[in-house]
Amino acid sequence: MQKEEFNYRCRELSAGLDFQLTKYVLDTVQEHRKSKSAGKLPVIWIETSDSGDNNIAFMNTTYPYLGQVLSGLIDLLYSNTFMAAQGKDALNILEQAATELRGKFTLVVEGAVPLKDNGLYTVIARTENYSLTARDVLTWLGPLAKYVVALGTCASFGGVSAARPNVAGSVGVRDVLKREVINVSGCPVNPDWFVGTLAHLLLFGAPELDSLNRPALFYGFTVHRHCQRRSYFDQGHFAEKLGDLECMFSLGCVGPRTGADCPYRQWINHVNWPVRANTPCIGCTNEDFPDGSSPFFTPLPEKNPPPHEEQPAASKGGAKGE
Ligand code: SF4
């Protein structure tokens, strides 16, 4: 399968009746691996400062299911969440994987990176001699990886971990590493966005990215563009309270400046998404989430302005509007 067809399938097929967007991903990967005698995508997954929501979302992947992803798509070499090994054994596995697959593995980072007090607010491993902080691990593994994927909004941009007053001085991975970081943002991420990105890396290398370094095939358009309530917005019919059928811009929806394909990809095995479930989009994929979206139920012009002038506004984001 050519890259264009793969991208088309990832982008468009969720609009089909069966919603089996990524059903084709695994078949494509298997064909590719067979024809090239290629292995799975080697992955080292580091969880740092976050709520663990992205690994839970990942476990909810369907078409392919989690077991199929692990057996057919990625070789999960290290994960402080999913692996059975603990303590020194786990650290040995990490060192061995990083050494043997130098320049070949994909580094997935889930969570923000605390910088204050030498990063001591997130320690990945402790030995008799030292504490290995999230920042230490990133500066060690980042230059050795073939690709770096920031999974979730905390890893991508700081997210909730870096929300005001950001007591731990948390930042996104891009602020620690001087190299390209592929941001797969979301709080949590839709499993399709993550699994689709991993498949793209294995099949074709890095995907086309938007101005926030997110794969354009998932984040290229705003939520507002495909929202089921868009006709109400265009006609100026706005909800007065939750539960009303009209557009929820009046109730704080930030869909017009949020890049994501939630309206047609949907969540939980492609069943539903916030606006369809009668709650406004809170812009969880945005660069300034959550501060730029709060208070969540206040309309856009009155939401909190960015605290510092230098903080980038989410409206800079890479999604195409309308
Ligand atoms: S403002 Fe929100 S609810 Fe209204 S059309 Fe846009 S995305 Fe949908």
Side-chain angles (χ1 to χ4, degrees):
M1 184 183 291
Q2 297 302 307
K3 184 173 163 179
E4 290 69 28
E5 189 184 351
F6 177 87
N7 286 352
Y8 168 78
R9 289 187 168 188
C10 277
R11 188 183 297 116
E12 305 294 341
L13 275 181
S14 57
L17 285 178
D18 60 5
F19 296 108
Q20 294 178 14
L21 169 74
T22 46
K23 176 174 153 186
Y24 298 91
V25 165
L26 200 63
D27 290 344
T28 309
V29 166
Q30 280 167 347
E31 277 168 33
H32 168 86
R33 289 187 52 208
K34 205 168 163 189
S35 66
K36 309 260 180 196
S37 301
K40 295 185 284 185
L41 185 78
V43 170
I44 292 177
W45 182 329
I46 304 290
E47 184 167 0
T48 59
S49 181
D50 77 324
S51 64
D53 56 338
N54 294 296
N55 59 61
I56 293 168
F58 173 59
M59 287 190 274
N60 285 326
T61 178
T62 48
Y63 307 109
Y65 288 100
L66 179 65
Q68 294 172 311
V69 173
L70 295 174
S71 62
L73 173 59
I74 67 169
D75 188 3
L76 191 54
L77 301 162
Y78 175 92
S79 158
N80 40 349
T81 305
F82 291 109
M83 69 196 301
Q86 301 281 313
K88 203 178 264 185
D89 290 342
L91 193 53
N92 288 343
I93 290 171
L94 179 59
E95 286 170 347
Q96 189 179 344
T99 305
E100 290 179 2
L101 289 162
R102 181 189 176 112
K104 294 181 182 156
F105 68 87
T106 294
L107 177 63
V108 172
V109 183
E110 178 188 359
V113 189
L115 297 182
K116 199 172 167 191
D117 298 331
N118 293 321
L120 274 175
Y121 298 108
T122 300
V123 172
I124 304 298
R126 227 184 274 283
T127 72
E128 289 160 5
N129 303 319
Y130 60 90
S131 293
L132 200 59
T133 67
R135 187 185 64 174
D136 294 337
V137 175
L138 254 65
T139 48
W140 164 36
L141 297 179
L144 306 182
K146 183 172 184 183
Y147 305 110
V148 177
V149 175
L151 176 60
T153 299
C154 287
S156 298
F157 312 124
V160 172
S161 301
R164 287 175 247 174
N166 193 2
V167 290
S170 294
V171 298
V173 176
R174 65 182 184 178
D175 296 318
V176 178
L177 298 181
K178 292 182 175 55
R179 58 164 296 164
E180 180 176 83
V181 176
I182 299 169
N183 294 319
V184 185
S185 62
C187 190
V189 73
N190 187 307
D192 279 10
W193 303 337
F194 181 45
V195 173
T197 300
L198 294 175
H200 200 290
L201 292 176
L202 180 65
L203 295 167
F204 312 111
E208 183 194 340
L209 303 176
D210 69 6
S211 62
L212 294 176
N213 266 27
R214 304 175 301 188
L217 72 167
F218 301 117
Y219 301 88
F221 294 103
T222 62
V223 164
H224 186 58
R225 183 181 176 115
H226 296 290
C227 179
Q228 289 88 359
R229 300 194 187 200
R230 176 60 188 265
S231 60
Y232 288 114
F233 178 92
D234 291 342
Q235 292 170 43
H237 295 158
F238 296 102
E240 292 178 4
K241 62 181 186 317
L242 292 177
D244 287 350
L245 289 176
E246 295 85 359
C247 167
M248 288 187 283
F249 187 77
S250 48
L251 302 178
C253 185
V254 291
R257 65 174 180 86
T258 301
D261 57 14
C262 302
Y264 58 91
R265 187 172 308 280
Q266 307 192 84
W267 293 74
I268 321 296
N269 196 9
H270 316 109
V271 168
N272 210 343
W273 73 288
V275 169
R276 215 172 140 198
N278 281 318
T279 186
C281 165
I282 57 173
C284 75
T285 61
N286 285 334
E287 194 176 29
D288 68 350
F289 178 79
D291 289 345
S293 296
S294 56
F296 289 154
F297 293 97
T298 299
L300 263 173
E302 287 88 42
K303 285 189 190 296
N304 285 333
H308 306 297
E309 274 189 16
E310 65 271 22
Q311 179 165 328
S315 52
K316 258 181 68 190
K320 292 174 192 149
E322 292 174 42

